[in-house]
Amino acid sequence: MSMIGDRLKRLRKDYGYTQKQIAEYLDIDQAYISRIEKGERTLNLSLLDKICQLYNCTPDYILGKEDNYQKRSVAFRSDGNDVDLNVVAKINSVMNNLELLRKLNGE
């Protein structure tokens, strides 16, 4: 399995998402997700960007250029299958912007 596919599969499982959920979030076919995880297909930049937003990681982490990654937990009052991954990605974006503002303010 490719490093990219391995990392994507590990992230997906760590968050408890299914390939179907990820495929719906990325607006692609579930079989394509399976092929990416097996190393049979590649990611384009648009998909890579959306995946990084969802998992709150850098492209370098997905591509295997760095190993630093810290999982961010966001609690929802629903079972894992009902979570809107677009909302998760937006929450990650807002939290990253808040962290940046704190750094800029010297906190």
Side-chain angles (χ1 to χ4, degrees), residues 19-89:
Q19 286 183 347
K20 181 180 178 189
Q21 286 176 295
I22 300 299
E24 288 173 359
Y25 166 70
L26 297 174
D27 197 27
I28 59 175
D29 188 60
Q30 182 267 326
Y32 194 83
I33 296 294
S34 177
R35 288 186 201 112
I36 291 170
E37 288 183 358
K38 292 177 184 175
E40 298 171 358
R41 301 291 292 184
T42 59
L43 287 171
N44 63 37
L45 290 177
S46 176
L47 293 178
L48 179 61
D49 184 51
K50 285 188 80 171
I51 288 170
C52 289
Q53 288 176 6
L54 176 63
Y55 294 126
N56 191 45
C57 64
T58 64
D60 284 345
Y61 176 77
I62 298 290
L63 298 173
K65 295 179 180 180
E66 67 179 37
D67 292 324
N68 298 328
Y69 175 72
Q70 187 172 13
K71 180 180 174 182
R72 177 179 283 162
S73 294
V74 177
F76 290 96
R77 291 183 182 228
S78 69
D79 66 25
N81 295 326
D82 290 340
V83 174
D84 184 338
L85 299 187
N86 287 298
V87 171
V88 173

